[in-house]
Amino acid sequence: MINDKIQIIRPDDFHLHVRSGEALKSVVPHTARQFARAIIMPNLATPVTTVDQAQSYRQAVLNAVSEDLDFEPLMTLYLTDKTSAEVIKAAKESSIIHALKLYPAGATTNSEAGVTDINNIYPALEAMQSVSLPLLVHGEVTDPLIDVFDRERVFIETILEPLIQRFPDLKIVMEHITTKEAVEFVTTTSNKVAATITVHHLLMNRNAIFTGGIRPHHYCLPVLKREEHRKALVEAAISGNPKFFLGTDSAPHPQSAKESACGCAGMYTAYNAMELYTEVFETAGALHRLEGFASIYGAKFYDLPQNKETLTLKRESWEIPASLSLGQAKVIPLRAGEKCQWKMINE
Ligand code: DOR
Ligand code: ZN
C-alpha cells in the first residue's frame, strides 16, 4: 500500500541548538512549526551553567515563537568540572531543567568549558542520579591520537561503560549516535540508557563529505561514518525499540563560518526535519514506525506527557530554499536547492 498522507502525534526534538540573539529569532520558528517541544542545548558562547541563565535563555526562546503556536523549550545545563550537587538540586527544583549535558572539553562547538576528566563530575552525577535528572552525552573522546572516526567507539569503551557501572540508576542519553557499535551498546545495556538519532546520520554516509570536492555543509560532529554504520542507525530508528528516538542536532552556523578554511561542525536541519525523517522511514518501508520514534519514545524516557495535537505530512515534491536568514547572515539548510518528497500541511 502506498501512503500519500501520514498523520502522527505532534513530535518532539530531543536535541536542538538554537544559539542566541538574532540567530535564535530566525531559527526557533522553524522548529516550533513542526515540534511541540525541544531539548535546548546549553553550548552557547557563554555556556548555560546556572538555573538563572537557563530561565532567561528559555524566555528568549519563547519570545521567538509566534503567538499561534504552542512550543515548550526543555532547558538543559552545561556540566563543567565545577558543577556542584547544589546546582543539580536547584535544577531539579526549577522544573524547567530537564537534563544536564556532558561535553568532553574540546570535543565540539563551544565545548572549551566542558569536562576535562569524568572523575571531576562524580558529585554532580551522584546528585543527578538521586534526583532523577538525565545525563546527555556528547560521546566522543578528545585524544588527538585517536582517529576521528573511532572517537565514539572509544568513548563507549573507556568512558561510558565504566560510568554506567558506577551510576547504574542514572538515566543517560547518548546523543547523535553514529556507529553500529553505539546501536549495539544502547540495545544491550540497561533500560536507563537511550540514544537520539539525527536525520543527517540516517540520510548520509561519509562519502557525502567528499562528493566531487569537500562539502563543508556535510561536516558535523560526530562526523558521518561508513555506509554500514548508517544502515545500523536506520535499523535502530525503525526497530520500534523505545531506546531510540528523535533528536535533530540541528546546528545553525552562518554560511561564512561553514565555508571557511576551518569550517564549523553542524548541519542545519530544523527547517524541514520532519519531512526528511519521513523520507528516511518511507525509504526503509517503515512509515508505521515514525510516530513511536518521533512522538512517543522520547517523551516516555523523559517522563513527559504525550502531546495532544497531531502533525500531518503529505507526499509532495518541493524545493528546499538555497539559503535561509540567520539574523543578518545566511544559513544553508541540508539539501539546499534540492527536492524534498514530503511536505508538512496544516490540518
Ligand atoms: O555538528 C555538531 N554541531 N555537533 C555538535 O556536537 C555541536 C553542534 C553545534 O553546536 O554546532
Ligand atoms: Zn548537538
Side-chain angles (χ1 to χ4, degrees):
M1 192 187 70
I2 295 201
N3 280 323
D4 284 326
K5 203 155 118 181
I6 163 170
Q7 187 171 65
I8 59 171
I9 296 166
R10 199 167 179 79
D12 300 309
D13 183 349
F14 284 98
H15 187 130
L16 180 68
H17 300 271
V18 295
R19 311 298 184 221
S20 57
E22 293 304 307
L24 176 150
K25 291 183 196 160
S26 301
V27 299
V28 165
H30 296 162
T31 291
R33 200 174 66 89
Q34 303 160 72
F35 297 96
R37 301 172 288 211
I39 282 277
I40 307 294
M41 287 293 143
N43 64 329
L44 300 185
T46 304
V48 180
T49 56
T50 67
V51 173
D52 280 356
Q53 282 172 293
Q55 289 275 17
S56 56
Y57 191 26
R58 178 172 181 273
Q59 195 53 53
V61 175
L62 286 172
N63 292 346
V65 179
S66 83
E67 301 241 317
D68 55 322
L69 289 172
D70 246 346
F71 176 75
E72 195 189 347
L74 307 169
M75 308 313 291
T76 61
L77 295 185
Y78 184 114
L79 286 165
T80 72
D81 287 342
K82 300 209 165 69
T83 306
S84 65
E86 286 65 42
V87 167
I88 305 300
K89 277 186 211 113
K92 184 70 183 180
E93 279 160 19
S94 77
S95 78
I96 62 156
I97 310 289
H98 293 264
L100 287 96
K101 178 75 187 268
L102 163 60
Y103 286 106
T108 186
T109 309
N110 296 336
S111 65
E112 297 77 12
V115 174
T116 60
D117 182 332
I118 194 77
N119 295 298
N120 294 339
I121 58 167
Y122 282 172
L125 296 178
E126 195 74 60
M128 286 161 62
Q129 178 171 250
S130 77
V131 302
S132 193
L133 266 179
L135 171 71
L136 314 183
V137 294
H138 182 108
E140 289 192 289
V141 291
T142 54
D143 182 346
L145 296 176
I146 307 285
D147 191 280
V148 167
F149 293 94
D150 294 334
R151 288 183 187 176
E152 182 175 281
R153 182 175 58 72
V154 175
F155 182 90
I156 293 170
E157 291 163 10
T158 61
I159 310 283
L160 201 52
E161 282 181 358
L163 192 73
I164 290 167
Q165 296 273 315
R166 192 174 180 115
F167 300 100
D169 290 325
L170 180 64
K171 278 188 171 182
I172 299 177
V173 183
M174 248 202 111
E175 300 291 341
H176 44 53
I177 57 168
T178 62
T179 56
K180 63 179 196 231
E181 287 84 3
V183 169
E184 162 88 11
F185 178 73
V186 172
T187 304
T188 55
T189 194
S190 97
N191 62 7
K192 299 276 175 191
V193 180
T196 53
I197 308 181
T198 77
V199 76
H200 46 278
H201 290 105
L202 291 170
L203 283 169
M204 293 180 287
N205 65 37
R206 66 190 196 178
N207 286 348
I209 311 169
F210 308 106
T211 311
I214 191 128
R215 301 282 185 154
H217 296 290
H218 292 166
Y219 173 59
C220 64
L221 286 170
V223 71
L224 295 173
K225 304 294 193 302
R226 285 177 184 278
E227 178 63 6
E228 64 188 289
H229 296 291
R230 188 194 70 81
K231 281 195 179 134
L233 297 176
V234 172
E235 285 307 311
I238 68 167
S239 66
N241 182 341
K243 282 169 161 258
F244 299 101
F245 49 84
L246 187 156
T248 62
D249 196 20
S250 176
H253 290 278
Q255 179 176 14
S256 57
K258 293 286 295 172
E259 298 172 11
S260 141
C262 186
C264 302
M267 296 197 210
Y268 189 65
T269 55
Y271 182 72
N272 55 345
M274 277 314 298
E275 288 137 341
L276 293 173
Y277 275 111
T278 305
E279 188 180 306
V280 169
F281 276 68
E282 178 178 42
T283 304
L287 273 181
H288 61 293
R289 290 278 168 78
L290 180 64
E291 185 176 58
F293 176 80
S295 317
I296 298 175
Y297 306 150
K300 254 195 196 137
F301 187 86
Y302 276 87
D303 290 328
L304 295 167
Q306 202 166 286
N307 295 318
K308 295 205 169 55
E309 310 76 26
T310 57
L311 178 89
T312 308
L313 297 122
K314 73 168 177 179
R315 185 188 305 284
E316 182 184 316
S317 183
W318 61 286
E319 192 171 308
I320 300 163
S323 69
L324 301 163
S325 298
L326 185 67
Q328 300 300 308
K330 296 258 179 261
V331 61
I332 309 297
L334 183 63
R335 290 252 188 104
E338 293 174 39
K339 296 270 198 260
C340 198
Q341 303 308 329
W342 287 85
K343 193 157 179 42
M344 206 189 110
I345 54 172
N346 293 320
E347 214 168 66

